[in-house]
Amino acid sequence: TQLLEQSPQFLSIQEGENLTVYCNSSSVFSSLQWYRQEPGEGPVLLVTVVTGGEVKKLKRLTFQFGDARKDSSLHITAAQPGDTGLYLCAGAGGNNAGNMLTFGGGTRLMVKP
Amino acid sequence: NAGVTQTPKFQVLKTGQSMTLQCAQDMNHNSMYWYRQDPGMGLRLIYYSASEGTTDKGEVPNGYNVSRLNKREFSLRLESAAPSQTSVYFCASSEPGTATRETQYFGPGTRLLVL
């Protein structure tokens, strides 16, 4: 079983602060996805990173895939209350059959106004 | 488009009761999935169906059965519910392109409480 560990599990910050969420594994993945989930809803894909060392930006969110394709990070600049939610990383490929995804345990973010 | 729909939204069962969770997608996707989500454990795959007519076990299949009724619909059945099956259940679908770039689209979830 491949494991993806996310840290921290919980994060409560003030509006305007910066934060980084980490997703680590001992396994190599072909790609790494980040999802965001709001209360009462299903996860929604934010980004997919494929190449080792790849950096993608989505407005105030910056995603990076580790050089060895075993880890990833999500950095949010100047967090807003609208960023509040559960952030999930998910790895594809590696030892997974077909198109299966392995999900991390999630980071629950609360941004206070 | 509705995307992925799930019914019911909420359900309370007594231990030993059975029920079927329904899922339908209108995106003409070949692959469909059932996950459960428990606090601090992310999403764990119960069963998946790579295409119409096929189903396979995921990480946590015990206590569940599935039916891929047609390309649109994928149901999850609990034959004899147990308190350990209290969870939020999500259905998802995807259209495999390259395996490294797949996006899964999730339904809103079914919240199940087993007493």
Side-chain angles (χ1 to χ4, degrees), chain A residues 22 30 41-42 44 48 51-52 56 64 67 76 86 95 99 107-108 113:
Chain A
Y22 299 94
S30 299
E41 299 182 8
V44 176
T48 301
T51 307
K56 280 192 174 178
Q64 184 162 8
D67 291 340
I76 302 179
L86 178 68
N95 293 332
N99 300 312
T107 294
R108 192 166 296 280

Side-chain angles (χ1 to χ4, degrees), chain B residues 39-56:
Chain B
M41 301 188 74
L43 291 158
R44 291 183 293 168
L45 184 65
I46 304 171
Y47 270 93
Y48 66 98
S49 171
S51 61
E52 186 178 356
T54 69
T55 61
D56 287 286

Side-chain angles (χ1 to χ4, degrees), chain A residues 10 39 51 54-55 65 80-81 86 96-97 99 101:
Chain A
F10 303 96
T51 307
E54 182 177 3
V55 176
F65 202 10
Q80 310 273 320
L86 178 68
N96 290 335
N99 300 312
L101 294 176

Side-chain angles (χ1 to χ4, degrees), chain A residues 30-31 33 37 40 42 45 99 104, chain B residues 37 42 90 96 99-100 102-103 107 111:
Chain A
S30 299
S31 67
Q33 299 182 341
Q37 184 179 13
L45 181 70
N99 300 312
Chain B
Q37 185 175 37
F90 287 98
T100 55
E102 176 191 276
T103 298
R111 282 143 189 82

Side-chain angles (χ1 to χ4, degrees), chain A residues 99, chain B residues 28-33 92-96 102-105:
Chain A
N99 300 312
Chain B
N28 202 36
H29 286 167
N30 278 302
S31 298
M32 297 185 74
Y33 313 82
S93 71
S94 69
E95 184 53 48
E102 176 191 276
T103 298
Q104 291 191 11
Y105 296 86

